[in-house]
Amino acid sequence: KTELNALGFDAGNITGISFEIATLGSANSNSNYTIKMRQVSQENFSTTSFLTETFTTVFGPVSYTHQPSGWHDFEFTTPFVWDGSSNILIELTHGGANSTNNAQTYYTETTDDKSLAANSVTVETGTLSKKRLNTKFLVNGLGETVWTPATNLYLDEGATQPYAGGNAKKVYFKSSTVGEHNYSVV
């Protein structure tokens, strides 16, 4: 939630998701490829048990063919309505050749367990990981918003995360120079 809020998305429909693939796994096609989402209060996994609560199916099940590399966009068949204050949990499941050798997906190493994985949907527990897949969300009403110049602009109210350009619906201004400062937003 913190990262989406920092980009200026407070609540609303998430209409798709993207993952960046580095290389294919044992095959480029998966059967029953399904993406489900739900809102949760926790920020990480504290046990190896999968959640039993209901998820919303937003994509699939379909046969999906991966491209060799790059960002893979999944446009949802059912938008996910995010409340703007909960964290988002994503469940990915599929069958097929890649069920034992998945496509290699770029990730970011975190300080706590953000992922829980298993090689079978019939198991009740999985393996914890600090590797969170790099993800982009597609949302209604949040187009590309770019501020120029980026000088003295921050992504957080405390002015600890400098804005470096790119998409940000909301930024914060902090300067040690008194006077008029002009910015453009497109």
Side-chain angles (χ1 to χ4, degrees):
K1 73 178 177 181
T2 304
E3 293 159 301
L4 288 172
N5 290 151
L7 291 171
F9 185 56
D10 298 319
N13 289 341
I14 297 175
T15 58
I17 197 168
S18 299
F19 301 106
E20 189 176 15
I21 304 297
T23 60
L24 289 177
S26 55
N28 66 346
S29 183
N30 297 118
S31 62
N32 296 318
Y33 198 96
T34 306
I35 301 172
K36 296 179 181 181
M37 298 173 69
R38 65 164 290 147
Q39 300 181 82
V40 295
S41 59
Q42 65 263 34
E43 294 184 10
N44 57 33
F45 288 97
S46 58
T47 71
T48 59
S49 297
F50 287 101
L51 296 178
T52 57
E53 293 90 351
T54 304
F55 284 74
T56 300
T57 301
V58 294
F59 181 86
V62 299
S63 289
Y64 180 73
T65 301
H66 299 279
Q67 301 303 312
S69 63
W71 284 97
H72 291 244
D73 298 332
F74 298 91
E75 189 173 321
F76 294 163
T77 51
T78 304
F80 180 75
V81 181
W82 182 50
D83 65 11
S85 60
S86 297
N87 291 306
I88 299 171
L89 182 60
I90 303 165
E91 178 184 86
L92 300 172
T93 58
H94 62 79
N98 276 353
S99 62
T100 58
N101 188 11
N102 291 324
Q104 298 296 305
T105 305
Y106 288 105
Y107 63 88
T108 299
E109 190 83 25
T110 62
T111 58
D112 54 358
D113 294 315
K114 299 286 189 197
S115 299
L116 180 62
N119 287 332
S120 172
V121 294
T122 59
V123 298
E124 294 179 8
T125 62
T127 303
L128 293 169
S129 175
K130 292 175 176 39
K131 298 175 180 176
R132 183 181 66 182
L133 299 180
N134 292 350
T135 306
K136 292 181 184 179
F137 289 105
L138 306 170
V139 295
N140 282 348
L142 185 61
E144 187 79 9
T145 306
V146 180
W147 301 77
T148 54
T151 310
N152 300 321
L153 298 180
Y154 297 86
L155 295 174
D156 65 318
E157 194 170 349
T160 61
Q161 298 176 334
Y163 171 70
N167 185 31
K169 186 176 177 184
K170 181 184 346 179
V171 295
Y172 298 87
F173 173 82
K174 181 178 181 182
S175 175
S176 58
T177 306
V178 176
E180 187 174 307
H181 300 271
N182 295 311
Y183 291 88
S184 297
V185 61
V186 177

